[in-house]
Amino acid sequence: MSEQRNLSINGDRLWQSLMDMAKIGATPKGGVCRLALTDVDKAGRDLFVDWCRAAGCSITVDRMGNIFARRPGRNNDLAPVVTGSHLDSQPTGGRFDGVYGVLAGLEVVRSLNDLGLETEHPVEVAVWTNEEGSRFAPAMVASGVFAGVFDLDYGLSRADPDGKTMGEELARIGYAGDAPVGRPVHAYFEAHIEQGPILEAEGKTIGVVTDAQGQRWYELNITGVESHAGPTPMTRRKDALLGAARIVDLVNRIGHQFAPRACATVGMMQVYPNSRNVIPGKVFMTVDFRHPEDATLAEMDKAMREGVAKICDEIGLGAEIDQIFYYAPVHFDDACIDAVRKGVAEHGFTARDMVSGAGHDACYLARVAPTGMVFIPCIDGISHNEVEDATPEWVSAGGQVLLRAILEKAGQVN
Amino acid sequence: MSEQRNLSINGDRLWQSLMDMAKIGATPKGGVCRLALTDVDKAGRDLFVDWCRAAGCSITVDRMGNIFARRPGRNNDLAPVVTGSHLDSQPTGGRFDGVYGVLAGLEVVRSLNDLGLETEHPVEVAVWTNEEGSRFAPAMVASGVFAGVFDLDYGLSRADPDGKTMGEELARIGYAGDAPVGRPVHAYFEAHIEQGPILEAEGKTIGVVTDAQGQRWYELNITGVESHAGPTPMTRRKDALLGAARIVDLVNRIGHQFAPRACATVGMMQVYPNSRNVIPGKVFMTVDFRHPEDATLAEMDKAMREGVAKICDEIGLGAEIDQIFYYAPVHFDDACIDAVRKGVAEHGFTARDMVSGAGHDACYLARVAPTGMVFIPCIDGISHNEVEDATPEWVSAGGQVLLRAILEKAGQVN
């Protein structure tokens, strides 16, 4: 493999492309708002397509609006190695989440051109539609259709809060392609910012992502008796918020109990009637459990159900627990993980194995293709926020590793 | 006092008046919606005025729209004995809260007529404007102006959510009187439903109200760090909702610690960003502390501040605590309390001393006149609710006690 040593991407060009793309939908606070299938999303897609055509790629758009920019291989009958992510953002999103994986893929193509390298398999850079799910729920819907998780009709019929469907909006912005959704992929890689604080805190440049956490999402309705905060003695109260508060503490304890790999979060709570002098009669709350092992998620589920029952019995409350979403843990492909590790070793980057805490298009791709992910740090672990940031060095390092991993799977010819 | 024995009100007539008044603003669920200074409130006032005129009373309306129906005494230079409450309701209010005190007063006047009794002092039945505060904040604003707690201009300028002021709305419905607000009152009595569960639970018919709880209201802002529920390890979280939850538990423990007379409630909580997969970065919450003794309220304040500081230190959160409202404890007039006790003894009702947990017009009147209150039970302690209910027996018993107390203070002549 000596001929592959010190193969370099152009880190400055990758950084500049990120900054240029960040102008589309730029917010005053330095982030971006590029909601899926808006005019701004179209402008981002157009710029990406222009860049890819300039790099000699052909463009295919499938019926979910997923874009594939293809650099031919020596044997174009072989399934492509695909890399990419998404261009859509949160309403108050940053300059890296999603777009980094897309433009790191473009930079790999540009660098292969600069280096005059041919690959056995074609290499494609993918843009997945509506990864964030901020405008059209659920998240990762178009990569989900690609992987057979959702039907095409389901995907196209997802509607935004104004009732506009993805199908209508794809047609409106000119990205309702005619290619079928889903086809063989030889390998899939996705580069992404970590969206958590671990790499930066440990001074590591690359996260070798071995797994993605499984998730269980719950909705709880806790029911007590609404009554007047003045004339109702403490001993006669059935305070739904007191129960909910103890459940928040319980969920946190479960997270610590199954540390270090468990996460347990109550993110949403709505109190009824939410009046300062009325004892709350009802609380709606959510629970988000994550762990890379299904068996542990089941243990967490059991601990929560038992704890909630005990808390509610003590106060005299009713509790309904609905698991509304289940997302199985993903173990990425060992050969793809190994290809990422080789890229790290090649360049001598500091690295550690990681479990992805967030969902990514790669989690669905992993169902239909050997898949790996490359993480780079983000400053203070902050993401889904206009202040989201990363350094040019991290951005460049992730691109280097991605190039190396793609070459490993696509087969370097010359 | 033998000539006063077995003086009876007409319980059936009082019940019928309550049911007739409940038709004005009746809701499909059996309650009433009679917000202050609406057309419905005007209709209720008009009916009350008609009834009082039919009972031989003269009507005075002051500049805050407070209505006084006066039955002359033998010596009309003496300050009147006043009784009453309010006709306005919560948006989903019941048939008794407020209106019971007004119509029990009217029934006392009617019964004095029936019995051919003259009193030394005039007797007046008062309707206080906007007690609930549901349409115009704060609550009890017009009795507050009467008692000198608020300026007249402040009272008239209170605006509803549409920007309409009390002054404008009083003029619109024809209840902007020209009498000055505030004048000497020889004694004030107010009959009211308990709005809590104690009397019914103990099988008592009458609550002899000795005190009204003092109140301290707080707003707390708890600040952590918003971050992604997936990639943020449990040990690196600054979860504002976890802190808020522990504060809810703390507030509850403080309520129990100063039992049986303390009440401690978190009624309102708002979580930011309130997203199921985001660790909350900020929580706004309220605390309502009540106790009949000021020194205990100060101890509860101290316990909360120390507890909040400890909880927030442990998690790494910021906390701001603002006391936004203070309502001093009220001890009612011993002679008025005694007059109520005599009424109870006269009729052999089961009774207990009580502390009012809620605010009432009587709490402000107590600042400018000897004051007492008479409570009757309400079913299941439920109030501020369309299902609010009471039995004809309780309603009648409260009227009997009110008659006896008024005679005691007004001086029975014949």
Side-chain angles (χ1 to χ4, degrees):
Chain A
M1 308 275 280
S2 61
E3 73 279 21
Q4 292 176 14
R5 291 196 69 82
N6 299 318
L7 294 182
S8 256
I9 65 153
N10 183 332
D12 293 342
R13 181 171 57 194
L14 172 51
W15 184 262
Q16 190 57 51
S17 296
L18 284 163
M19 296 306 107
D20 288 344
M21 185 61 86
K23 292 174 188 164
I24 299 176
T27 63
K29 290 185 181 171
V32 298
C33 176
R34 210 161 46 220
L35 294 179
L37 309 188
T38 57
D39 291 348
V40 176
D41 188 26
K42 171 185 163 53
R45 289 164 168 258
D46 289 349
L47 178 60
F48 170 75
V49 166
D50 287 348
W51 281 338
C52 291
R53 289 211 166 106
C57 294
S58 59
I59 302 292
T60 303
V61 180
D62 73 15
R63 294 188 62 192
M64 281 306 300
N66 299 316
I67 307 171
F68 302 93
R70 181 179 179 104
R71 183 179 192 266
R74 186 165 72 174
N75 184 348
N76 288 303
D77 292 334
L78 294 177
V81 172
V82 180
T83 187
S85 191
H86 59 97
L87 290 176
D88 70 314
S89 79
Q90 294 283 329
T92 53
R95 298 172 300 166
F96 299 92
D97 178 3
V99 59
Y100 173 61
V102 173
L103 297 185
L106 172 62
E107 179 52 37
V108 166
V109 166
R110 287 169 166 171
S111 298
L112 290 174
N113 292 346
D114 291 349
L115 296 162
L117 292 182
E118 191 178 10
T119 54
E120 188 69 19
H121 290 257
V123 172
E124 295 187 8
V125 185
V127 173
W128 304 105
T129 298
N130 186 51
E131 192 270 354
E132 293 290 1
S134 300
R135 181 174 176 202
F136 305 95
M140 305 177 292
V141 64
S143 56
V145 175
F146 188 94
V149 176
F150 308 118
D151 290 339
L152 176 62
D153 288 347
Y154 173 85
L156 292 175
S157 65
R158 294 308 87 204
D160 74 0
D162 293 334
K164 291 177 184 160
T165 65
M166 288 188 66
E168 289 161 5
E169 288 292 276
L170 278 169
R172 188 184 68 77
I173 67 167
Y175 278 89
D178 50 18
V181 187
R183 64 200 152 92
V185 168
H186 180 62
Y188 178 74
F189 291 100
E190 184 164 348
H192 209 283
I193 56 169
E194 178 193 351
Q195 303 186 279
I198 298 172
L199 289 174
E200 189 190 27
E202 297 187 359
K204 302 281 167 63
T205 300
I206 298 292
V208 179
V209 185
T210 58
D211 298 85
Q213 290 178 327
Q215 299 180 30
R216 284 179 185 245
W217 282 7
Y218 303 87
E219 293 183 353
L220 277 65
N221 281 289
I222 309 301
T223 312
V225 177
E226 204 172 305
S227 53
H228 198 307
T232 313
M234 298 305 294
T235 50
R236 295 188 63 88
R237 296 177 173 216
K238 295 185 177 182
D239 182 342
L241 180 56
L242 179 64
R246 290 179 180 169
I247 292 168
V248 170
D249 199 58
L250 166 75
V251 165
N252 187 264
R253 275 185 279 116
I254 291 171
H256 285 284
Q257 181 184 344
F258 295 95
R261 296 201 293 170
C263 286
T265 307
V266 177
M268 182 184 277
M269 187 179 276
Q270 283 165 336
V271 179
Y272 302 88
N274 214 31
S275 169
R276 64 182 79 230
N277 58 353
V278 179
I279 298 161
K282 204 171 87 174
V283 173
F284 169 86
M285 61 196 293
T286 61
V287 172
D288 173 320
F289 280 159
R290 305 192 187 204
H291 196 277
E293 287 169 21
D294 209 39
T296 306
L297 281 173
E299 284 186 76
M300 294 168 74
D301 176 278
K302 183 162 177 281
M304 175 182 68
R305 289 178 191 276
E306 288 174 359
V308 168
K310 187 161 179 290
I311 288 165
C312 290
D313 280 354
E314 281 167 5
I315 309 176
L317 304 174
E320 283 177 22
I321 303 177
D322 292 323
Q323 180 178 310
I324 59 153
F325 177 66
Y326 172 67
Y327 186 89
V330 175
H331 179 66
F332 289 118
D333 178 73
D334 288 328
C336 288
I337 295 168
D338 195 50
V340 172
R341 281 200 221 288
K342 282 182 183 165
V344 168
E346 173 90 9
H347 296 279
F349 296 129
T350 54
R352 63 165 280 166
D353 286 0
M354 297 205 74
V355 172
S356 170
H360 293 288
D361 293 310
C363 299
Y364 281 150
L365 267 293
R367 299 193 180 200
V368 291
T371 292
M373 291 194 78
V374 179
F375 274 180
I376 62 169
C378 55
I379 289 173
D380 294 332
I382 293 172
S383 180
H384 285 191
N385 189 315
E386 289 160 276
V387 305
E388 177 184 274
D389 207 359
T391 70
E393 292 70 28
W394 297 338
V395 161
S396 180
Q400 292 290 155
V401 172
L402 187 66
L403 170 65
R404 180 63 184 75
I406 287 171
L407 277 177
E408 171 80 12
K409 293 297 289 186
Q412 182 180 340
V413 176
N414 56 343
Chain B
M1 309 279 280
S2 61
E3 73 277 24
Q4 291 176 14
R5 291 196 68 82
N6 299 319
L7 294 182
S8 256
I9 65 154
N10 183 332
D12 293 341
R13 180 170 58 194
L14 172 51
W15 183 261
Q16 190 57 51
S17 296
L18 284 163
M19 296 306 107
D20 288 345
M21 185 61 86
K23 292 175 188 163
I24 298 176
T27 64
K29 290 183 182 172
V32 297
C33 175
R34 211 162 46 220
L35 294 179
L37 309 189
T38 55
D39 290 348
V40 177
D41 187 26
K42 171 186 162 53
R45 287 164 172 257
D46 288 349
L47 178 60
F48 169 75
V49 167
D50 287 347
W51 280 341
C52 291
R53 288 211 165 107
C57 295
S58 60
I59 300 293
T60 303
V61 179
D62 72 15
R63 294 187 62 193
M64 281 305 300
N66 298 317
I67 308 171
F68 301 92
R70 181 180 179 104
R71 181 178 192 268
R74 186 166 69 174
N75 184 349
N76 288 302
D77 292 334
L78 295 176
V81 171
V82 180
T83 187
S85 189
H86 58 99
L87 290 176
D88 69 314
S89 81
Q90 294 283 329
T92 54
R95 299 171 300 166
F96 300 93
D97 179 2
V99 60
Y100 173 61
V102 173
L103 298 184
L106 172 62
E107 179 53 35
V108 166
V109 166
R110 287 169 166 171
S111 297
L112 290 173
N113 292 345
D114 292 348
L115 296 162
L117 292 182
E118 191 178 10
T119 53
E120 187 69 19
H121 290 257
V123 172
E124 296 186 8
V125 184
V127 173
W128 304 105
T129 298
N130 187 51
E131 192 269 354
E132 293 290 0
S134 300
R135 182 174 175 200
F136 304 95
M140 304 177 292
V141 64
S143 56
V145 175
F146 189 93
V149 175
F150 308 118
D151 290 339
L152 175 63
D153 288 346
Y154 173 86
L156 293 175
S157 64
R158 294 308 86 205
D160 73 1
D162 293 334
K164 291 177 183 161
T165 65
M166 288 188 67
E168 289 161 5
E169 288 292 276
L170 278 169
R172 187 183 69 78
I173 67 167
Y175 278 89
D178 51 16
V181 187
R183 64 199 154 92
V185 168
H186 181 62
Y188 177 74
F189 291 101
E190 184 165 348
H192 208 283
I193 56 169
E194 178 193 351
Q195 302 186 278
I198 298 172
L199 290 174
E200 190 189 29
E202 297 186 0
K204 302 281 168 62
T205 300
I206 299 290
V208 178
V209 185
T210 58
D211 298 85
Q213 289 179 329
Q215 299 181 30
R216 284 182 186 242
W217 282 7
Y218 303 87
E219 292 184 352
L220 278 65
N221 281 289
I222 309 301
T223 313
V225 177
E226 205 172 306
S227 54
H228 198 307
T232 312
M234 297 306 294
T235 51
R236 295 188 63 88
R237 296 175 172 216
K238 295 184 175 182
D239 182 342
L241 180 56
L242 179 64
R246 290 179 181 169
I247 293 168
V248 170
D249 199 58
L250 167 75
V251 165
N252 187 264
R253 275 185 279 117
I254 292 171
H256 284 283
Q257 181 184 344
F258 295 95
R261 294 201 292 169
C263 287
T265 307
V266 177
M268 183 184 280
M269 185 178 278
Q270 283 163 337
V271 178
Y272 303 89
N274 213 32
S275 169
R276 63 181 81 230
N277 59 352
V278 180
I279 299 161
K282 205 171 86 174
V283 173
F284 168 86
M285 60 196 293
T286 61
V287 172
D288 172 320
F289 279 159
R290 306 192 186 204
H291 196 276
E293 288 170 21
D294 210 38
T296 307
L297 281 172
E299 285 186 76
M300 293 168 75
D301 177 277
K302 183 164 176 281
M304 175 182 66
R305 289 178 191 276
E306 289 175 358
V308 168
K310 187 161 180 291
I311 287 165
C312 290
D313 280 354
E314 282 168 4
I315 308 177
L317 304 174
E320 283 176 23
I321 303 177
D322 292 322
Q323 181 178 310
I324 59 154
F325 177 67
Y326 172 66
Y327 186 89
V330 174
H331 178 66
F332 289 117
D333 178 73
D334 288 329
C336 287
I337 295 168
D338 196 51
V340 172
R341 282 200 220 287
K342 283 182 181 166
V344 168
E346 173 89 10
H347 295 278
F349 296 130
T350 54
R352 62 166 281 166
D353 285 0
M354 296 205 74
V355 171
S356 170
H360 293 290
D361 293 309
C363 299
Y364 282 148
L365 266 294
R367 299 195 180 199
V368 290
T371 293
M373 290 194 77
V374 178
F375 275 179
I376 62 168
C378 55
I379 290 173
D380 294 332
I382 292 172
S383 180
H384 286 191
N385 190 315
E386 289 161 275
V387 305
E388 177 184 273
D389 207 359
T391 70
E393 292 70 29
W394 297 337
V395 161
S396 181
Q400 291 291 153
V401 172
L402 186 66
L403 171 64
R404 180 62 184 73
I406 287 171
L407 279 177
E408 172 81 11
K409 293 299 289 187
Q412 181 179 341
V413 176
N414 57 345

